[in-house]
Amino acid sequence: MNLMPVAQALDHLLTSASAESPPDTETLRLEAVLGRVLAKPLHSAQDVPPWDNSAMDGYALHAADIAAANQTGLPVSQRITAGMAPQPLARGTCARIFTGAPMPRGADTVEMQENVTLDPQGLVHFTRILKQGQNVRPQGQDIRKGSILFKPGLKLRPQDLGLIASVGLATVEVYKPLRIAVLSTGDELVEPGHELGPGQIFNSNRYTLIGCLQRLGQQVIDAGILEDDPEATRKRLQSLAGRADVIITSGGVSVGEADFLGETLRDHGELTMWKLAIKPGKPFTLARFAGTPVLGLPGNPAAVLVTFLLLVRPYLLRRLGVQEVNPVMLQVASGFDWIRAGNRDEYLRARLEEGHVVLAGNQSSGVLSSASEASGLVCIPSGTVVSKGETLPFLPFEGLFD
Ligand code: AMP
Ligand code: MG
């Protein structure tokens, strides 16, 4: 069987995510929506700033009085601090004004206080040539009334919340988190905190997956451990399908005799994609069971991390209408040689050292310690050899977890 190229698999995943109906929406206060995805476009009902204001602590004047100001100086007719409503500015005078205070009607120019001198009569002398409009922040400079602030599908960041607040909106409509069932398959699995029996290992994938989902702000349905048994597999999938938007599994999708998950999805569900040209992660599976999408991850712990970040994350974000799902990718000089070209895109656990990307220890798909030593993944495309100094795509974990 041919392996599907990663780009094609991703395309397929994104298309199938777009075809699902999005989650319900809810309207929440601004302080509760960080990381949530905007469900409706946001318009501004007002100009920001709402009026012309001073960008400096200084003196506001009429442009028409600039010539006089430069020669004889101007008397101060009012003092305007932020939060005040000023009087119109009398011709032939200036106003003491502070940063963020509204410009008085008539005034259109501000000189900063460092550039003026006051004489004993209290006249302000402007020591530099003034330019009409200088140091004034015009009404609507940041946002125009009626303009679109954000389109739907934006994953809200702190600065976005600030911008929404600046137009006076206290609530926004966002998608509810996806309900995601996490199921670990394998007779050998034991939860941490218990004793290991013969042949058993601790369930680590569950924690990697729940952590990834929590970072993405989604709702986890913890489905525990599933034994390697076809009947149990079918029953468990059936019960999860009714209450999850997506089922994410680990293990059981290879070609071994105890890989009942793949078998069950094939025989009782709909298997749409299996076996990708990615290392680690070849057995990655996309299927549907009783109407619910199932993303079947391999069992090996490093493969779980890699396939979640590269395939599951963009799928889930697209389910929420997020358009920009590609992770941040840096081009970094390789600090190592790679002499054997592979037939799969290889994602190696790596970190940056002195401007180079170096490998973070053992790259076996069963080894997780190198993932903890790494700060991201470096990609070696299939069919490629690499010499030290050549550039490679490096994906920092920071860009992969949000
Ligand atoms: P499988 O794809 O089910 O054959 O699993 C591949 C490898 O991953 C085996 O060595 C499993 O023991 C291991 N594995 C599967 N699930 C987990 C898990 N939840 N935590 C840690 N290792 C696992
Ligand atoms: Mg297994």
mmCIF file of all heavy atoms in Angstrom, residues 43 47-48 65 71 76 99 109 142 146 161 167 169 190 199 220 239-240 256 261 282 301-302 338 341 372-373 382 401:
data_model
loop_
_atom_site.group_PDB
_atom_site.id
_atom_site.type_symbol
_atom_site.label_atom_id
_atom_site.label_comp_id
_atom_site.label_asym_id
_atom_site.label_seq_id
_atom_site.Cartn_x
_atom_site.Cartn_y
_atom_site.Cartn_z
ATOM 1 N N HIS A 43 -18.003 44.353 14.425
ATOM 2 C CA HIS A 43 -17.927 45.686 13.834
ATOM 3 C C HIS A 43 -17.713 46.698 14.942
ATOM 4 O O HIS A 43 -18.127 46.484 16.073
ATOM 5 C CB HIS A 43 -19.229 46.026 13.111
ATOM 6 C CG HIS A 43 -19.533 45.099 11.977
ATOM 7 N ND1 HIS A 43 -19.139 45.356 10.692
ATOM 8 C CD2 HIS A 43 -20.156 43.904 11.947
ATOM 9 C CE1 HIS A 43 -19.528 44.360 9.907
ATOM 10 N NE2 HIS A 43 -20.150 43.454 10.655
ATOM 11 N N ASP A 47 -15.671 55.466 16.415
ATOM 12 C CA ASP A 47 -14.287 55.787 16.087
ATOM 13 C C ASP A 47 -13.407 55.590 17.324
ATOM 14 O O ASP A 47 -13.821 55.875 18.441
ATOM 15 C CB ASP A 47 -14.162 57.257 15.670
ATOM 16 C CG ASP A 47 -14.685 57.519 14.268
ATOM 17 O OD1 ASP A 47 -14.576 56.611 13.424
ATOM 18 O OD2 ASP A 47 -15.172 58.632 14.027
ATOM 19 N N VAL A 48 -12.185 55.105 17.103
ATOM 20 C CA VAL A 48 -11.177 55.055 18.163
ATOM 21 C C VAL A 48 -9.919 55.750 17.629
ATOM 22 O O VAL A 48 -9.433 55.340 16.586
ATOM 23 C CB VAL A 48 -10.843 53.609 18.567
ATOM 24 C CG1 VAL A 48 -9.756 53.604 19.650
ATOM 25 C CG2 VAL A 48 -12.088 52.871 19.047
ATOM 26 N N ASP A 65 -2.552 80.478 14.231
ATOM 27 C CA ASP A 65 -1.776 81.330 15.138
ATOM 28 C C ASP A 65 -0.302 80.946 15.193
ATOM 29 O O ASP A 65 0.454 81.478 16.011
ATOM 30 C CB ASP A 65 -2.375 81.268 16.555
ATOM 31 C CG ASP A 65 -3.729 81.962 16.623
ATOM 32 O OD1 ASP A 65 -3.959 82.875 15.798
ATOM 33 O OD2 ASP A 65 -4.554 81.562 17.462
ATOM 34 N N GLN A 71 6.609 84.133 16.822
ATOM 35 C CA GLN A 71 7.248 85.440 17.033
ATOM 36 C C GLN A 71 7.065 85.954 18.460
ATOM 37 O O GLN A 71 8.027 86.139 19.187
ATOM 38 C CB GLN A 71 6.656 86.472 16.052
ATOM 39 C CG GLN A 71 7.159 86.247 14.625
ATOM 40 C CD GLN A 71 6.139 86.738 13.596
ATOM 41 O OE1 GLN A 71 5.278 87.568 13.902
ATOM 42 N NE2 GLN A 71 6.246 86.226 12.391
ATOM 43 N N VAL A 76 -1.882 81.489 27.870
ATOM 44 C CA VAL A 76 -2.573 80.214 28.111
ATOM 45 C C VAL A 76 -3.997 80.514 28.561
ATOM 46 O O VAL A 76 -4.191 81.185 29.574
ATOM 47 C CB VAL A 76 -1.845 79.394 29.198
ATOM 48 C CG1 VAL A 76 -2.593 78.096 29.492
ATOM 49 C CG2 VAL A 76 -0.418 79.105 28.768
ATOM 50 N N THR A 99 -1.217 64.445 27.619
ATOM 51 C CA THR A 99 -1.385 63.284 26.732
ATOM 52 C C THR A 99 -2.757 62.646 26.917
ATOM 53 O O THR A 99 -3.162 62.351 28.036
ATOM 54 C CB THR A 99 -0.302 62.228 27.034
ATOM 55 O OG1 THR A 99 0.964 62.860 26.926
ATOM 56 C CG2 THR A 99 -0.376 61.067 26.053
ATOM 57 N N THR A 109 -2.953 71.655 16.577
ATOM 58 C CA THR A 109 -1.508 71.467 16.611
ATOM 59 C C THR A 109 -1.057 71.469 18.069
ATOM 60 O O THR A 109 -1.615 72.216 18.879
ATOM 61 C CB THR A 109 -0.812 72.620 15.847
ATOM 62 O OG1 THR A 109 -1.322 72.651 14.511
ATOM 63 C CG2 THR A 109 0.695 72.458 15.820
ATOM 64 N N ASP A 142 -7.124 54.880 14.932
ATOM 65 C CA ASP A 142 -6.939 53.450 15.190
ATOM 66 C C ASP A 142 -8.034 52.647 14.483
ATOM 67 O O ASP A 142 -7.733 51.739 13.709
ATOM 68 C CB ASP A 142 -6.984 53.229 16.710
ATOM 69 C CG ASP A 142 -6.522 51.840 17.125
ATOM 70 O OD1 ASP A 142 -6.209 51.031 16.235
ATOM 71 O OD2 ASP A 142 -6.487 51.576 18.343
ATOM 72 N N GLY A 146 -17.952 51.694 12.110
ATOM 73 C CA GLY A 146 -18.565 50.896 11.043
ATOM 74 C C GLY A 146 -17.615 49.908 10.395
ATOM 75 O O GLY A 146 -18.038 49.053 9.621
ATOM 76 N N LEU A 161 -8.287 41.087 22.528
ATOM 77 C CA LEU A 161 -9.234 41.460 23.595
ATOM 78 C C LEU A 161 -9.135 42.950 23.886
ATOM 79 O O LEU A 161 -10.149 43.635 24.066
ATOM 80 C CB LEU A 161 -8.950 40.657 24.876
ATOM 81 C CG LEU A 161 -8.975 39.133 24.739
ATOM 82 C CD1 LEU A 161 -8.839 38.485 26.110
ATOM 83 C CD2 LEU A 161 -10.244 38.671 24.065
ATOM 84 N N VAL A 167 -13.323 49.458 21.598
ATOM 85 C CA VAL A 167 -14.533 49.957 20.929
ATOM 86 C C VAL A 167 -15.759 49.823 21.832
ATOM 87 O O VAL A 167 -16.882 50.074 21.409
ATOM 88 C CB VAL A 167 -14.787 49.245 19.570
ATOM 89 C CG1 VAL A 167 -13.564 49.358 18.676
ATOM 90 C CG2 VAL A 167 -15.200 47.795 19.749
ATOM 91 N N LEU A 169 -17.027 47.081 23.458
ATOM 92 C CA LEU A 169 -17.808 45.835 23.534
ATOM 93 C C LEU A 169 -17.416 45.056 24.785
ATOM 94 O O LEU A 169 -16.234 44.844 25.048
ATOM 95 C CB LEU A 169 -17.556 44.977 22.292
ATOM 96 C CG LEU A 169 -18.115 45.536 20.980
ATOM 97 C CD1 LEU A 169 -17.633 44.691 19.807
ATOM 98 C CD2 LEU A 169 -19.644 45.561 21.030
ATOM 99 N N VAL A 190 -1.276 0.758 32.232
ATOM 100 C CA VAL A 190 -1.662 0.964 33.623
ATOM 101 C C VAL A 190 -1.548 2.454 33.895
ATOM 102 O O VAL A 190 -0.626 3.110 33.391
ATOM 103 C CB VAL A 190 -0.702 0.190 34.565
ATOM 104 C CG1 VAL A 190 -0.982 0.536 36.022
ATOM 105 C CG2 VAL A 190 -0.812 -1.299 34.338
ATOM 106 N N GLY A 199 4.815 -7.275 32.239
ATOM 107 C CA GLY A 199 4.475 -6.897 30.867
ATOM 108 C C GLY A 199 3.741 -5.569 30.753
ATOM 109 O O GLY A 199 3.335 -5.181 29.658
ATOM 110 N N VAL A 220 -12.052 18.020 27.267
ATOM 111 C CA VAL A 220 -11.640 16.623 27.204
ATOM 112 C C VAL A 220 -12.697 15.723 27.838
ATOM 113 O O VAL A 220 -13.167 15.989 28.942
ATOM 114 C CB VAL A 220 -10.298 16.420 27.935
ATOM 115 C CG1 VAL A 220 -9.914 14.944 27.982
ATOM 116 C CG2 VAL A 220 -9.203 17.238 27.273
ATOM 117 N N SER A 239 -20.431 4.022 22.384
ATOM 118 C CA SER A 239 -20.913 4.852 23.488
ATOM 119 C C SER A 239 -20.278 6.247 23.439
ATOM 120 O O SER A 239 -20.897 7.224 23.834
ATOM 121 C CB SER A 239 -20.667 4.163 24.831
ATOM 122 O OG SER A 239 -19.397 4.506 25.323
ATOM 123 N N LEU A 240 -19.048 6.339 22.953
ATOM 124 C CA LEU A 240 -18.401 7.654 22.874
ATOM 125 C C LEU A 240 -18.953 8.486 21.730
ATOM 126 O O LEU A 240 -19.030 9.713 21.813
ATOM 127 C CB LEU A 240 -16.882 7.496 22.711
ATOM 128 C CG LEU A 240 -16.138 6.959 23.926
ATOM 129 C CD1 LEU A 240 -14.681 6.689 23.567
ATOM 130 C CD2 LEU A 240 -16.232 7.955 25.085
ATOM 131 N N GLY A 256 -0.595 -5.158 13.611
ATOM 132 C CA GLY A 256 -0.414 -6.313 14.496
ATOM 133 C C GLY A 256 -1.734 -7.036 14.735
ATOM 134 O O GLY A 256 -2.807 -6.512 14.427
ATOM 135 N N LEU A 261 -8.407 -1.706 16.911
ATOM 136 C CA LEU A 261 -9.065 -0.440 16.626
ATOM 137 C C LEU A 261 -9.210 -0.246 15.115
ATOM 138 O O LEU A 261 -10.306 0.022 14.609
ATOM 139 C CB LEU A 261 -8.278 0.717 17.245
ATOM 140 C CG LEU A 261 -8.977 2.058 17.160
ATOM 141 C CD1 LEU A 261 -10.232 2.074 17.998
ATOM 142 C CD2 LEU A 261 -8.038 3.167 17.612
ATOM 143 N N LYS A 282 3.409 6.784 10.974
ATOM 144 C CA LYS A 282 2.854 6.151 9.771
ATOM 145 C C LYS A 282 1.434 5.601 9.923
ATOM 146 O O LYS A 282 0.615 5.781 9.029
ATOM 147 C CB LYS A 282 3.820 5.047 9.296
ATOM 148 C CG LYS A 282 3.351 4.353 8.038
ATOM 149 C CD LYS A 282 4.439 3.489 7.440
ATOM 150 C CE LYS A 282 4.582 2.193 8.201
ATOM 151 N NZ LYS A 282 5.476 1.239 7.552
ATOM 152 N N PRO A 301 4.755 6.751 21.896
ATOM 153 C CA PRO A 301 4.598 8.070 22.511
ATOM 154 C C PRO A 301 5.116 9.247 21.664
ATOM 155 O O PRO A 301 4.471 10.302 21.632
ATOM 156 C CB PRO A 301 5.384 7.943 23.813
ATOM 157 C CG PRO A 301 5.267 6.493 24.151
ATOM 158 C CD PRO A 301 5.310 5.765 22.840
ATOM 159 N N ALA A 302 6.244 9.093 20.981
ATOM 160 C CA ALA A 302 6.744 10.221 20.183
ATOM 161 C C ALA A 302 5.867 10.421 18.953
ATOM 162 O O ALA A 302 5.664 11.547 18.486
ATOM 163 C CB ALA A 302 8.197 9.995 19.769
ATOM 164 N N TRP A 338 22.681 14.605 7.729
ATOM 165 C CA TRP A 338 21.667 13.541 7.611
ATOM 166 C C TRP A 338 21.976 12.823 6.320
ATOM 167 O O TRP A 338 21.750 13.335 5.238
ATOM 168 C CB TRP A 338 20.273 14.176 7.582
ATOM 169 C CG TRP A 338 19.157 13.192 7.731
ATOM 170 C CD1 TRP A 338 18.367 12.697 6.740
ATOM 171 C CD2 TRP A 338 18.708 12.592 8.939
ATOM 172 N NE1 TRP A 338 17.455 11.820 7.261
ATOM 173 C CE2 TRP A 338 17.635 11.734 8.613
ATOM 174 C CE3 TRP A 338 19.111 12.681 10.279
ATOM 175 C CZ2 TRP A 338 16.955 10.983 9.578
ATOM 176 C CZ3 TRP A 338 18.437 11.935 11.222
ATOM 177 C CH2 TRP A 338 17.376 11.100 10.874
ATOM 178 N N ALA A 341 18.675 9.291 2.989
ATOM 179 C CA ALA A 341 17.381 9.834 2.584
ATOM 180 C C ALA A 341 16.301 8.801 2.886
ATOM 181 O O ALA A 341 16.456 7.617 2.593
ATOM 182 C CB ALA A 341 17.392 10.162 1.096
ATOM 183 N N SER A 372 11.099 15.893 25.498
ATOM 184 C CA SER A 372 11.190 16.842 26.604
ATOM 185 C C SER A 372 12.470 17.664 26.532
ATOM 186 O O SER A 372 12.518 18.788 27.017
ATOM 187 C CB SER A 372 11.098 16.114 27.943
ATOM 188 O OG SER A 372 9.747 15.782 28.204
ATOM 189 N N GLU A 373 13.505 17.096 25.930
ATOM 190 C CA GLU A 373 14.753 17.865 25.750
ATOM 191 C C GLU A 373 14.646 18.835 24.581
ATOM 192 O O GLU A 373 15.490 19.707 24.410
ATOM 193 C CB GLU A 373 15.921 16.916 25.457
ATOM 194 C CG GLU A 373 16.453 16.196 26.671
ATOM 195 C CD GLU A 373 17.308 14.996 26.261
ATOM 196 O OE1 GLU A 373 17.964 15.072 25.199
ATOM 197 O OE2 GLU A 373 17.279 13.992 26.987
ATOM 198 N N SER A 382 11.036 13.826 2.794
ATOM 199 C CA SER A 382 11.421 12.512 2.259
ATOM 200 C C SER A 382 12.346 12.708 1.064
ATOM 201 O O SER A 382 12.264 13.698 0.337
ATOM 202 C CB SER A 382 10.167 11.735 1.845
ATOM 203 O OG SER A 382 9.572 12.348 0.735
ATOM 204 N N PHE A 401 1.487 24.461 20.011
ATOM 205 C CA PHE A 401 0.581 24.115 21.109
ATOM 206 C C PHE A 401 -0.652 25.003 21.179
ATOM 207 O O PHE A 401 -1.611 24.666 21.854
ATOM 208 C CB PHE A 401 1.326 24.177 22.450
ATOM 209 C CG PHE A 401 2.197 22.977 22.725
ATOM 210 C CD1 PHE A 401 3.478 23.109 23.207
ATOM 211 C CD2 PHE A 401 1.706 21.685 22.499
ATOM 212 C CE1 PHE A 401 4.276 22.002 23.472
ATOM 213 C CE2 PHE A 401 2.499 20.575 22.749
ATOM 214 C CZ PHE A 401 3.783 20.734 23.233
#
